[in-house]
């Protein structure tokens, strides 16, 4: 998440949101990147704990922290949460259901 939200983006809260990132991140079956074979070998060579330690903060400036997490919340959250059912294509339905579940769980955990 930190690397995704590192740069300011005019699409923040719309096309680029915390919910969009989480929705795409859950789909581990589909990938278009070439890093996975290298990464698997890196973890195998160094062990899971050491690899995590070595890669902590990779690609981010030293000490970076996303100070404005709220700005990345999807701007249509109230609309999505206010509907029990989404009409539209399969991708939109899956995304809206994911957002409802994500924020429903957060609400239950918070109180």
């Amino acid at each position: 998440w930190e690397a995704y939200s590192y740069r300011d983006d005019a699409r923040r809260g719309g096309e680029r949101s915390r919910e969009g990132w989480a929705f795409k991140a859950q789909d581990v079956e589909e990938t278009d990147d070439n890093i996975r074979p290298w990464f698997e070998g890196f973890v195998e060579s160094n062990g899971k704990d050491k690899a995590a330690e070595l890669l902590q903060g990779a690609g981010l400036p030293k000490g970076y922290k996303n100070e404005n997490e709220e700005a990345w919340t999807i701007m249509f959250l109230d609309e999505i949460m206010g509907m029990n059912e989404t009409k539209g294509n399969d991708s939109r339905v899956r995304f809206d259901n994911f957002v409802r579940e994500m924020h429903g769980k957060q609400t239950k955990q918070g109180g």
Side-chain angles (χ1 to χ4, degrees):
W1 167 245
E2 294 291 332
Y4 184 86
S5 64
Y6 167 62
R7 290 180 178 79
D8 196 18
D9 192 318
R11 299 169 293 168
R12 179 179 59 215
E15 193 176 318
R16 300 209 13 136
S17 63
R18 177 78 183 226
E19 293 82 4
W21 170 82
F23 181 69
K24 291 174 185 172
Q26 73 173 348
D27 190 4
V28 294
E29 294 298 317
E30 290 187 33
T31 178
D32 61 354
D33 59 16
N34 295 316
I35 193 73
R36 291 183 194 269
W38 174 88
F39 184 72
E40 288 169 1
F42 182 79
V43 172
E44 189 176 302
S45 295
N46 292 285
K48 187 176 179 180
D49 292 338
K50 183 66 174 174
E53 179 185 333
L54 291 169
L55 293 173
Q56 182 68 37
L60 297 171
K62 197 172 209 135
Y64 171 78
K65 176 141 176 44
N66 184 348
E67 298 292 334
N68 193 5
E69 182 110 3
E70 296 283 320
W72 287 92
T73 299
I74 190 166
M75 65 178 68
F76 305 110
L77 182 59
D78 290 339
E79 179 183 333
I80 293 170
M81 296 302 285
M83 295 184 293
N84 291 328
E85 183 180 348
T86 300
K87 296 191 182 342
N89 63 38
D90 289 346
S91 179
R92 173 67 190 265
V93 170
R94 281 193 312 273
F95 177 73
D96 285 6
N97 287 338
F98 175 83
V99 170
R100 284 187 200 98
E101 184 177 323
M102 178 181 179
H103 286 279
K105 285 182 180 177
Q106 286 180 352
T107 302
K108 289 175 189 170
Q109 290 173 353

